[in-house]
Amino acid sequence: GQQLNQSPQSMFIQEGEDVSMNCTSSSIFNTWLWYKQDPGEGPVLLIALYKAGELTSNGRLTAQFGITRKDSFLNISASIPSDVGIYFCAGSSYGQNFVFGPGTRLSVLP
Amino acid sequence: DTGVSQNPRHKITKRGQNVTFRCDPISEHNRLYWYRQTLGQGPEFLTYFQNEAQLEKSRLLSDRFSAERPKGSFSTLEIQRTEQGDSAMYLCASKPGANVLTFGAGSRLTVL
């Protein structure tokens, strides 16, 4: 079945630093979603991407739909303490359900 | 629009007992999804409904699991004869016309 890999698994950064994480798939997707999840809560949608090469921003967050359609990237600029959490990518092919990656755990040090 | 609502938020039960979770989706969303999430993993698809019709079930959904959406509005997920391996967060999501999922806060199940 489809599998997603996220890199890195976890990261510790200083407040104010920029963050980059990525997601790769063994299959081609036509939609990529990025979510953030806080402990004990459900995932919250950050950015949705629908076209190869698309670059979309949401405040300090920027995500890109890879041109191969098998990867996606999320960048966070000028990190702040509330960016702490687990970031999940999810992808779907036409007519298929969303598959989620294992997540990237972000810790922000003051 | 109050978002996707899930109840109960937490459930602790003994092995062998039955449990039921309820999901109230965003009212105008006709698709409703159930996912399961274990510690350190991303959500895994269980099943989804379009209105009241259950259109797909994952192989993860054993015979002990049953989901319903009787009137195309709220949905229930029942687990019979719970096992310790059923301990997880059960997430409900609804989907508008656009290809995104809006999740609820989840129902955490602990089976002792």
Side-chain angles (χ1 to χ4, degrees):
Chain A
Q2 294 173 331
Q3 286 190 329
L4 295 186
N5 295 307
Q6 286 191 246
S7 178
Q9 271 190 312
S10 63
M11 54 197 315
F12 292 82
I13 60 168
Q14 294 285 343
E15 185 176 350
E17 287 184 349
D18 297 343
V19 174
S20 290
M21 60 188 78
N22 69 65
C23 186
T24 57
S25 166
S26 56
S27 305
I28 289 174
F29 288 141
N30 70 305
T31 300
W32 284 99
L33 306 176
W34 283 93
Y35 288 86
K36 178 176 183 277
Q37 188 174 31
D38 293 329
E41 299 294 328
V44 173
L45 181 69
L46 300 173
I47 293 178
L49 301 160
Y50 299 109
K51 211 160 44 168
E54 180 181 356
L55 190 71
T56 296
S57 293
N58 177 7
R60 294 177 297 106
L61 278 62
T62 301
Q64 184 162 25
F65 194 138
I67 56 173
T68 66
R69 296 170 63 194
K70 289 187 173 183
D71 55 11
S72 181
F73 310 89
L74 177 69
N75 294 315
I76 305 172
S77 63
S79 58
I80 59 177
S82 62
D83 290 334
V84 166
I86 304 177
Y87 291 80
F88 290 100
C89 61
S92 81
S93 309
Y94 289 109
Q96 301 296 313
N97 294 307
F98 279 99
V99 177
F100 282 76
T104 290
R105 183 180 294 273
L106 178 64
S107 300
V108 179
L109 306 173
Chain B
D1 177 2
T2 57
V4 178
S5 176
Q6 291 191 245
N7 289 288
R9 292 291 314 277
H10 304 276
K11 179 73 177 179
I12 300 174
T13 191
K14 291 184 179 177
R15 191 175 50 190
Q17 299 293 306
N18 299 343
V19 296
T20 299
F21 300 113
R22 174 178 169 130
C23 173
D24 288 88
I26 295 171
S27 57
E28 60 269 25
H29 293 185
N30 60 4
R31 285 202 178 184
L32 183 151
Y33 294 75
W34 285 100
Y35 279 78
R36 183 179 74 181
Q37 186 179 26
T38 53
L39 206 60
Q41 300 297 319
E44 295 173 293
F45 170 77
L46 291 179
T47 187
Y48 90 92
F49 293 83
Q50 172 130 348
N51 301 313
E52 66 275 11
Q54 189 173 16
L55 295 187
E56 189 174 341
K57 292 194 282 189
S58 158
R59 281 174 290 181
L60 292 175
L61 211 67
S62 77
D63 291 345
R64 298 182 297 105
F65 287 68
S66 62
E68 292 183 345
R69 195 182 184 199
K71 295 181 182 178
S73 55
F74 73 91
S75 176
T76 58
L77 176 68
E78 181 184 17
I79 310 174
Q80 296 182 325
R81 305 181 304 282
T82 52
E83 301 172 356
Q84 286 184 321
D86 296 332
S87 295
M89 174 82 94
Y90 290 86
L91 292 163
C92 175
S94 67
K95 186 165 177 259
N99 204 18
V100 295
L101 294 175
T102 301
F103 283 92
S107 294
R108 178 167 294 286
L109 173 65
T110 301
V111 181
L112 302 176

